């Protein structure tokens, strides 16, 4: 088993691009986490976010089948579609940094979750798909409480 059997380089790049705006936002903006009255949902959101990033980057071998059709065709489709969606997500983040709105926050949350779930579906990674669903549920709740 080689290094590239364990580390998904493209998935790692997508995970980094998806996580960096969260880090920048947390460093540059003050937001009150006490507004989230349900701490369990805050933890669910965080677990979903970080598990999604980890599972996009690392192939753990549990509940993973790989691409379903010829690898070159499906991998190319995955790379192109996820790249386009990631660029759209970054553009949404740029708009959000310029003018914070609840609609943009929800759009970022949904687009990020779709990227994760779509990656899980195309690569047949059941845990990644599940982490994407957990991330979507938790992050929608946290977004509804924090963004005014």
């Amino acid at each position: 088993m080689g290094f590239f059997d364990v580390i998904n380089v493209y998935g790692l790049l997508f995970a980094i691009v998806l996580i960096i705006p969260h880090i920048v936002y947390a460093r540059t903006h003050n937001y009150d986490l006490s507004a989230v009255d349900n701490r369990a949902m805050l933890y669910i959101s965080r677990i979903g976010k970080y598990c999604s990033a980890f599972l996009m980057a690392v192939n753990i071998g549990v509940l993973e089948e790989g691409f379903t059709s010829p690898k070159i065709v499906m991998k190319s489709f995955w790379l192109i579609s996820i790249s386009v969606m990631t660029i759209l997500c970054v553009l949404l983040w740029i708009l959000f940094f310029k003018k914070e709105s609840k609609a943009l926050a929800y759009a970022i949350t949904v687009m990020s979750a779709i990227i994760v779930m779509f990656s899980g579906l195309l690569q047949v990674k059941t845990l990644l798909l599940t982490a994407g669903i957990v991330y979507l549920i938790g992050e929608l709740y946290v977004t509804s409480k924090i963004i005014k």
Side-chain angles (χ1 to χ4, degrees):
M1 179 178 264
F3 178 75
F4 292 110
D5 293 335
V6 176
I7 301 296
N8 179 353
V9 177
Y10 297 117
L12 177 62
L13 291 172
F14 290 129
I16 289 170
V17 170
L18 290 175
I19 290 292
I20 285 176
H22 287 279
I23 295 169
V24 170
Y25 185 78
R27 295 269 186 207
T28 59
H29 291 76
N30 292 328
Y31 54 92
D32 187 18
L33 287 179
S34 64
V36 181
D37 50 356
N38 188 344
R39 301 306 277 180
M41 289 301 286
L42 180 64
Y43 295 134
I44 285 172
S45 169
R46 288 179 178 170
I47 288 169
K49 182 187 306 179
Y50 298 121
C51 285
S52 295
F54 176 77
L55 291 170
M56 280 185 81
V58 177
N59 299 320
I60 59 173
V62 177
L63 297 174
E64 294 179 357
E65 300 290 326
F67 295 106
T68 55
S69 68
K71 189 171 182 173
I72 288 293
V73 174
M74 187 59 90
K75 188 171 185 175
S76 298
F77 175 72
W78 173 72
L79 282 171
I80 292 168
S81 60
I82 298 300
S83 296
V84 169
M85 287 191 278
T86 303
I87 290 169
L88 180 61
C89 190
V90 169
L91 291 174
L92 287 170
W93 268 108
I94 291 169
L95 289 173
F96 184 73
F97 280 124
K98 289 184 179 182
K99 181 183 180 239
E100 287 187 28
S101 75
K102 205 164 197 166
L104 282 173
Y106 282 127
I108 290 168
T109 299
V110 170
M111 182 56 68
S112 298
I114 287 173
I115 290 169
V116 171
M117 290 186 293
F118 197 61
S119 287
L121 281 173
L122 290 181
Q123 297 179 62
V124 191
K125 290 184 172 184
T126 308
L127 292 177
L128 181 57
L129 175 63
T130 305
I133 293 168
V134 169
Y135 168 67
L136 178 64
I137 293 167
E139 197 68 20
L140 282 174
Y141 181 81
V142 171
T143 301
S144 72
K145 296 296 182 179
I146 291 179
I147 305 296
K148 302 294 179 204

